[in-house]
Amino acid sequence: MPPSYPADAPASEALFARAKAVVPGGVNSPVRAFRSVGGTPRFITSARGAYLIDADGREYVDLIGSWGPMILGHTHPEVLAAVTDAASRGFSYGTPSENEVALAEEIVARVEPVEHVRLVSSGTEATMSALRLARGLTGRSRVVKFAGCYHGHVDALLAAAGSGVATFGLPDSAGVPSSAAAETIVLPYNDIAALKAVFAADGEHIAAVITEAAPGNMGVVPPAPGFTEALRRVTRDHGALLISDEVMTGFRCSRSGWYGLEGPYAAGAPDLFTFGKVMGGGFPAAAFGGPAALMAALAPDGPVYQAGTLSGNPVATAAGLATLQRCTPEVYAHLDAVAHTVADAAAAALSAAGVPHTVQWAGSMFSIFFCEGLVRDYDDAKRTSAPAYAAFFHAMLAQGVHLPPSAYEVWFVSAAHDAAAVDRILAALPAAASAASDAFATIAP
């Protein structure tokens, strides 16, 4: 039987109150505040394998995985040993070191179109730098992105769609200048006709199209068959670059990320890729890369400036390298098996409770939308019932399973999710489905 935890969490509540006195909103990344689901965020004090322990001493099966990086589970012994060894020899040098070379070699070996990579410290930094490189290479300023795709908090990419099918962006956050957002064209995802139309009208000014390889930031919404090929053909025909954001999917969907599942493409590979999460093993590390001829435009060899004090940090690169080296075919097979067991059981429980839902996939990444029908773009994703998900979330939390605290996120499993962890998840699902059903009954017209 799963545990039965009370709704209140006194130690977490006390920590949250302390945090709100010194940190905006009490958190250092907005989704952690539980605003989407309500209640008090659980402050975690430790993690091991497939489990989180909160400040109240409660144990949860973790289906967040630090939003993707913990593909092997928490504090994997061999990753921990690599980190400890690296830290014992120094935390940061401000000089080149072998670890960063070895991690770059591992990435290049896994993703065939990538010949050179530049290491950075966050996914946001990777996408920002890839955009600067694309603009430097093309001499153009405008960028196309898709509604619902998130590429970090870069000013130019925090743009929301305007009132047309293809519109110049409007600032999606206070503090983003209209001038920055105005260089971004926002299109509906999976809409090839809109893509062709905007290039026909404005192609000579467009430096790049940036897309999540398989979006996970509006829930999992994979590219429709032929969509990625169309992105490649249209950008190539108009002299623009294609940037594939694999910060989330990279080395998570497969050994070579989403490219390893969907590629190689008949029309050719994307020009640039961005990576993060798994490649850092839980530490702040990310990268962007592509053909050597394009990457040569970066300083010190070329005119496009990019730098970072902690880029290639020896401890972070040790964690990332140790993680990638242990992402074997057996690990990916385990992730797929566990993810399908959990998702199938969740779908069965929701069906039994009469809850509308749709499960969508990108490798072992999956999302459950609380609505009927295929989700192909952001407008479709917004049909999901946030109140039903919140009820489902809290029912799972009370039974010792920590889901992502937002209806628009990915569920992540790890190599450490064994039979005992899966059994706890499965045991919690019927009550959670019933709670979601009750929520739907309350909001039904």
Side-chain angles (χ1 to χ4, degrees):
M1 291 292 292
S4 180
Y5 296 141
D8 64 326
S12 284
E13 289 164 7
L15 284 168
F16 196 33
R18 281 177 57 192
K20 287 189 285 188
V22 291
V23 178
V27 294
N28 286 300
S29 192
V31 72
R32 302 177 192 175
F34 273 36
R35 294 284 177 87
S36 294
V37 294
T40 300
R42 301 305 189 257
F43 278 66
I44 303 304
T45 59
S46 65
R48 186 168 296 277
Y51 298 92
L52 304 171
I53 307 296
D54 75 4
D56 291 280
R58 299 169 186 172
E59 180 186 76
Y60 304 91
V61 180
D62 180 19
L63 288 173
I64 303 174
S66 191
W67 305 98
M70 311 316 302
I71 192 169
L72 301 178
H74 295 282
T75 57
H76 185 282
E78 292 172 279
V79 178
L80 180 59
V83 168
T84 302
D85 176 64
S88 72
R89 291 182 280 112
F91 301 160
S92 180
Y93 307 139
T95 69
S97 68
E98 184 177 359
N99 274 358
E100 60 194 282
V101 179
L103 180 56
E105 289 171 338
E106 182 71 22
I107 293 170
V108 167
R110 283 171 169 261
V111 187
E112 184 271 333
V114 174
E115 297 174 335
H116 283 188
V117 296
R118 176 63 63 85
L119 301 183
V120 294
S121 297
S122 71
T124 292
E125 195 178 348
T127 57
M128 176 186 72
S129 302
L131 280 186
R132 182 180 301 160
L133 178 58
R135 284 170 164 150
L137 286 164
T138 62
R140 303 171 181 178
S141 61
R142 292 177 186 165
V143 173
V144 173
K145 67 155 292 197
F146 297 98
C149 288
Y150 177 71
H151 306 286
H153 56 96
V154 183
D155 277 1
L157 298 178
L158 281 179
S163 59
V165 172
T167 64
F168 285 102
L170 304 172
D172 202 23
S173 169
V176 175
S178 297
S179 58
E183 293 291 344
T184 303
I185 302 168
V186 184
L187 302 181
Y189 189 69
N190 272 326
D191 190 332
I192 296 174
L195 176 77
K196 291 180 176 179
V198 81
F199 268 92
D202 204 42
E204 64 182 326
H205 299 114
I206 296 172
V209 171
I210 185 168
T211 181
E212 286 189 76
N217 286 286
M218 51 178 152
V220 174
V221 181
F227 183 65
T228 307
E229 291 272 8
L231 294 179
R232 176 66 289 179
R233 287 195 306 271
V234 171
T235 51
R236 182 192 59 212
D237 291 348
H238 289 270
L241 271 62
L242 175 60
I243 303 171
S244 181
D245 183 345
E246 292 231 33
V247 168
M248 184 178 290
T249 54
F251 319 114
R252 164 62 75 164
C253 287
S254 77
R255 183 180 187 275
S256 304
W258 182 258
Y259 182 82
L261 295 183
E262 195 181 48
Y265 305 104
D271 297 291
L272 298 174
F273 291 77
T274 62
F275 305 107
K277 299 188 185 296
V278 168
M279 62 150 285
F283 280 75
F288 65 103
L294 298 184
M295 296 296 287
L298 289 171
D301 289 344
V304 179
Y305 188 75
Q306 184 278 327
T309 298
L310 295 178
S311 296
N313 175 270
V315 181
T317 51
L321 180 63
T323 297
L324 289 182
Q325 288 174 334
R326 285 154 185 82
C327 287
T328 62
E330 292 76 19
V331 163
Y332 289 113
H334 178 80
L335 297 177
D336 287 342
V338 169
H340 279 85
T341 297
V342 171
D344 290 350
L350 291 167
S351 293
V355 177
H357 65 280
T358 298
V359 183
Q360 296 195 175
W361 294 89
S364 65
M365 295 166 41
F366 68 95
S367 293
I368 302 177
F369 295 94
F370 284 70
C371 61
E372 293 180 341
L374 183 67
V375 174
R376 289 175 50 90
D377 58 24
Y378 188 42
D379 282 344
D380 283 348
K382 289 188 288 188
R383 293 188 289 108
T384 197
S385 171
Y389 182 81
F392 185 87
F393 170 88
H394 280 289
M396 293 294 281
L397 193 69
Q399 297 175 89
V401 179
H402 203 316
L403 301 179
S406 168
Y408 298 96
E409 299 290 351
V410 174
W411 297 26
F412 293 103
V413 299
S414 79
H417 282 72
D418 58 12
V422 171
D423 286 347
R424 182 184 289 192
I425 298 168
L426 302 191
L429 288 169
S434 178
S437 178
D438 291 344
F440 261 112
T442 301
I443 61 177

